[in-house]
Amino acid sequence: SSLRFVVHAAAPCPVHVKQAMIEWWGPVIFEYYGGTETGAVVFCNSEEYLAHPGTVGKAIEGAKVLVLDDDGKELARGATGEIVCRIPTIPDFTYHGDDEKRRRAEKAGLIALGDIGYLDDDGFLYLCDRAKDMVISGGVNIYPAEIEAELHKMPGVGDCAVFGIPDEEFGESLCAVVQRQPGADIGETDVKSFLRERVAGYKVPRIVEFRTDLPREDSGKIFKRKLREPYWEQAGRQI
C-alpha cells in the first residue's frame, strides 16, 4: 500500500502484460522512452497508458519528437516511420572515435535512435521495431515486433524472436524461433494457425523453429544476431 511510483523503459512491454501489471499493482506504473544520446523524451502514467494501450508516452515539456519517412520528411499522425527526437537543453555529443556516426544520427535537426514507430492523434508515441530489424519481403516493410507481440499472447509460448532470412523469390522471408513454456506441446502448425488469425498472411513466418533457450545479451534482451547469422552465412549477402 506504500508503493507510489514504479518506472520502466529500455524495451516495449507487451500490452497484455502492462495491463496486467497495472491491474495487479494499481496506477503506480510509469514508462518513458529515450536514449543515452537524448535522455528521456516521452513519458506516460498508468491512466494515459490505459487510454492509449501500447504507447511509450507523450513528449515531455521541451522535447521534440517527429516521425520521418525515408526521405527525411515529417509523416502525418498514424503513419509509421523513423522516430527522431531531441531536448535542446541536453548537451550535444559524439560517438567515441566515430564522428561520422554522429553526423548520420542527425536528421531534421533531431537525433535518430534507430527506432521505428508512429504518433497517434493525441501525440502519444508507439514503437513498432528497431530499424535494423525491419524485414523487406517482396518490397513490403515488415516489423517483426508486431508478430512477436502476437506470439506472446499464444498459450504455450514462453518467449520468441522473429527475424528475416534469405528468400530467393522475395529477398527476405520471416523465421520465428520459439521457446515453449514448460510442459507446453505446441508445434509449427499451431504457431502458423494462431498467427494467420491475427496478422496478414505475408507476416506469417515461413519457418518456425523451437529452442529450449534463446541466446541473450548481458542486458537480458534476445541476441537476434546469433539466431539470424546461420541462415545468412551461405547466402553470400547480409540483407
Side-chain angles (χ1 to χ4, degrees), residues 113-129:
L113 299 175
D115 290 309
I116 300 293
Y118 65 93
L119 293 162
D120 70 10
D121 289 338
D122 296 320
F124 284 87
L125 180 67
Y126 298 75
L127 303 182
C128 296
D129 218 327

Side-chain angles (χ1 to χ4, degrees), residues 77-124:
R77 295 292 172 91
T80 299
E82 186 169 21
I83 300 165
V84 294
C85 52
R86 197 168 198 172
I87 301 176
T89 55
I90 297 291
D92 200 8
F93 70 96
T94 191
Y95 295 100
H96 179 66
D98 197 347
D99 291 340
E100 177 58 30
K101 181 179 178 181
R102 168 64 183 86
R103 286 188 286 271
R104 292 196 306 269
E106 185 154 337
K107 299 181 180 181
L110 306 177
I111 303 301
L113 299 175
D115 290 309
I116 300 293
Y118 65 93
L119 293 162
D120 70 10
D121 289 338
D122 296 320
F124 284 87

Side-chain angles (χ1 to χ4, degrees), residues 5-236:
F5 187 92
V6 179
V7 63
H8 72 94
C13 181
V15 172
H16 69 288
V17 174
K18 179 75 172 278
Q19 290 172 334
M21 289 164 60
I22 295 171
E23 182 180 354
W24 181 26
W25 284 5
V28 298
I29 297 176
F30 300 78
E31 183 171 3
Y32 73 88
Y33 165 81
T36 303
E37 301 92 334
T38 63
V41 292
V42 304
F43 189 84
C44 72
N45 59 32
S46 294
E47 290 82 0
E48 290 172 325
Y49 184 88
L50 293 175
H52 301 268
T55 186
V56 291
K58 191 173 186 178
I60 64 174
E61 184 177 356
K64 188 170 185 180
V65 180
L66 300 176
V67 177
L68 307 180
D69 65 15
D70 293 339
D71 297 321
K73 297 179 181 178
E74 183 178 357
L75 289 167
R77 295 292 172 91
T80 299
E82 186 169 21
I83 300 165
V84 294
C85 52
R86 197 168 198 172
I87 301 176
T89 55
I90 297 291
D92 200 8
F93 70 96
T94 191
Y95 295 100
H96 179 66
D98 197 347
D99 291 340
E100 177 58 30
K101 181 179 178 181
R102 168 64 183 86
R103 286 188 286 271
R104 292 196 306 269
E106 185 154 337
K107 299 181 180 181
L110 306 177
I111 303 301
L113 299 175
D115 290 309
I116 300 293
Y118 65 93
L119 293 162
D120 70 10
D121 289 338
D122 296 320
F124 284 87
L125 180 67
Y126 298 75
L127 303 182
C128 296
D129 218 327
R130 293 288 293 170
K132 66 180 182 180
D133 289 336
M134 185 181 74
V135 175
I136 304 176
S137 182
V140 178
N141 294 348
I142 302 175
Y143 302 106
E146 174 192 358
I147 303 154
E148 291 167 352
E150 294 301 324
L151 273 175
H152 278 122
K153 301 174 186 177
M154 181 177 179
V157 172
D159 209 343
C160 64
V162 176
F163 50 89
I165 60 174
D167 186 289
E168 291 185 4
E169 182 178 0
F170 297 107
E172 285 185 278
S173 59
L174 294 174
C175 174
V177 179
V178 176
Q179 180 179 333
R180 298 182 183 95
Q181 291 178 341
D185 183 21
I186 56 174
E188 180 176 1
T189 301
D190 302 311
V191 169
K192 291 183 176 180
S193 296
F194 181 87
L195 287 175
R196 284 193 186 97
E197 296 178 359
R198 292 162 175 80
V199 299
Y202 65 88
K203 297 180 181 179
V204 176
R206 181 170 62 87
I207 293 176
V208 179
E209 180 184 337
F210 293 89
R211 296 198 182 186
T212 54
D213 291 295
L214 297 176
R216 297 185 183 276
E217 302 178 38
D218 292 340
S219 64
K221 294 181 181 179
I222 295 174
F223 211 147
K224 280 191 178 182
R225 181 169 59 81
K226 290 187 177 181
L227 295 171
R228 185 189 293 114
E229 279 181 345
Y231 289 95
W232 289 92
E233 284 177 351
Q234 303 301 319

